[in-house]
Amino acid sequence: MLATLDRFFELKERQTNVKTELLAGLTTFLTLVYIVFVNPTILAEAGMNHNAVFVATCLAAAFGCLVMGLYANYPIALAPGMGLNAYFAATLVISMGISWQVALGAVFCSGVLFLILSILPIREMIINSIPKSQKMAIAAGIGVFLILVALRSANLMGSDLSDVGALGNFAQWSAVLVLVGFVVMVVLDAKKIPGSLALVILAIAIVCWLVGLAPVPNAIVSGVPSLNPTFMQLDIGGALSIGLVAIVFALLLVDLFDTSGTLVAVLHQANMLDEQGRIKKLRHALLADSSATIFGSLVGTSTTTSYIESAAGIRVGGRTGLTAVAVGALFLLTMLFAPIATSIPAYATAPAILFVGCAMAKSLGEVEWGDLTEAMPAVITAFAIPFSGSIATGIGIGFITYVLTKTFAGQVKSIHPAMGVIAAVFVVKFIFL
């Protein structure tokens, strides 16, 4: 068996072994297992069944990890993405009034488009058409959006995400636990302690159970909850309506950029890029990501994407798909711990959401601030996303601002034709749709 694993995953060629790969898989899993607590909590606000979403989260993550490991042979872990899950619940369902079934249909459509783009050569054209400043601004904007979601779930803000001035009551248990938990997460992560986010979530939950702020789980391990409430409940027909085209497009863009950026960052750390800094099996990795999004929408969760937390496993030596396979197996095993996951209160997961949001917001630091024609539109994009409560609207406003700024600055040649077309489409949407 060891010889078979060695040949299949190219262990010797990549200077690693089974023990190292399994340890790397465990490390990566510990850094992102918080998603099985956070994702069901967020999507439950959209009216989805918490237990079913918990199972769907584990299944989507396991499926994505297994495909990435077995097909692309990369140590990249996948799971439902932070930011897009909040957008799914807070914007599409709560603010826009779209049913979660239609929202799942939009996720499915974006996954299918991503799959097609992963096969066709126009994938590179789309990625290259968006300037780096706008890509960084989108990531930062989603980060700020997550920060607002975290403050709202901790009752530190009003229920309306667009009303950033509606502060809540800081003199309450939930506020104290969230703020203290956030600080502890930052300290533990700075010390590079694996699983710091999950550890703090569980610690807050235990405190809540002990003092009676949340019901104590009646068991530690149980049978896997039913997936029926969310399985194959997506409404693809509703998602194909003309009014949701921008939504599908936004989901596609964010997933595409997030995946590409994560792959480059993580594989660069592992010294697995070619001489030109390109990913050798980019098509394989993107196919794994897009197929995971499609699968996730079928079982009942928002967009599934590659996770930057995969870098934790790479730090301890993970170099092949066996690391990802190990992560996938652990996600499948996690389904047995449903009693604990479903007993964790929303404000126990809020520090993790706040932490991830702050980590994403740092992307603005990579904008070229010396060029105002790049920096100013980036700021507009970054703040239009959270203040409008819509990733699609924020992207549209930012892209239009970028094209107009470059045009009137006499830098038309620096605008990629595809970028101009995208901006024009958003103009039509804002005026007529």
Side-chain angles (χ1 to χ4, degrees), residues 190-235:
K191 294 180 179 296
K192 294 182 170 33
I193 296 178
S196 56
L197 272 64
L199 289 174
V200 174
I201 291 174
L202 290 174
I204 294 176
I206 291 173
V207 171
C208 294
W209 296 335
L210 292 177
V211 301
L213 293 176
V216 179
N218 53 19
I220 296 177
V221 178
S222 71
V224 179
S226 174
L227 187 65
N228 290 336
T230 60
F231 181 67
M232 296 298 292
Q233 296 299 310
L234 67 168
D235 182 355

Side-chain angles (χ1 to χ4, degrees), residues 29-34 37 185 195-203 352:
F29 174 76
L30 290 175
T31 62
L32 58 79
V33 68
Y34 69 88
F37 308 129
M185 281 183 179
S196 56
L197 272 64
L199 289 174
V200 174
I201 291 174
L202 290 174

Side-chain angles (χ1 to χ4, degrees), residues 153-399:
S153 64
N155 297 319
L156 295 177
M157 280 185 58
S159 58
D160 186 358
L161 282 174
S162 63
D163 187 2
V164 295
L167 292 178
N169 180 15
F170 282 73
Q172 54 183 327
W173 268 105
S174 61
V176 173
L177 289 172
V178 168
L179 295 177
V180 172
F182 172 71
V183 172
V184 174
M185 281 183 179
V186 173
V187 173
L188 293 180
D189 188 76
K191 294 180 179 296
K192 294 182 170 33
I193 296 178
S196 56
L197 272 64
L199 289 174
V200 174
I201 291 174
L202 290 174
I204 294 176
I206 291 173
V207 171
C208 294
W209 296 335
L210 292 177
V211 301
L213 293 176
V216 179
N218 53 19
I220 296 177
V221 178
S222 71
V224 179
S226 174
L227 187 65
N228 290 336
T230 60
F231 181 67
M232 296 298 292
Q233 296 299 310
L234 67 168
D235 182 355
I236 300 175
L240 292 175
S241 63
I242 188 67
L244 293 185
V245 171
I247 302 299
V248 173
F249 180 68
L251 292 171
L252 169 65
L253 277 184
V254 174
D255 194 15
L256 182 61
F257 297 150
D258 183 56
T259 299
S260 301
T262 297
L263 290 172
V264 171
V266 174
L267 295 179
H268 173 69
Q269 180 178 328
N271 295 318
M272 296 177 68
L273 302 179
D274 64 15
E275 294 77 7
Q276 286 75 40
R278 296 174 301 187
I279 301 173
K280 298 177 182 179
K281 291 185 177 181
L282 177 59
R283 189 168 75 93
H284 292 69
L286 293 181
L287 284 172
D289 198 293
S290 55
S291 62
T293 290
I294 294 173
F295 178 83
S297 68
L298 296 176
V299 296
T301 186
S302 51
T303 305
T304 302
T305 188
S306 301
Y307 262 69
I308 195 68
E309 282 84 351
S310 303
I314 286 176
R315 288 194 199 107
V316 298
R319 291 295 182 273
T320 76
L322 184 55
T323 293
V325 171
V327 177
L330 289 170
F331 269 117
L332 291 177
L333 184 63
T334 303
M335 291 190 294
L336 299 176
F337 296 89
I340 295 178
T342 55
S343 297
I344 293 178
Y347 48 81
T349 61
I353 302 174
L354 186 59
F355 181 92
V356 174
C358 291
M360 294 179 68
K362 71 178 182 181
S363 297
L364 270 183
E366 298 186 38
V367 173
E368 187 180 348
W369 291 98
D371 184 351
L372 293 183
T373 63
E374 293 286 338
M376 294 306 173
V379 172
I380 294 298
T381 301
F383 285 93
I385 289 174
F387 290 153
S388 67
S390 170
I391 296 177
T393 299
I395 290 176
I397 293 174
F399 283 13

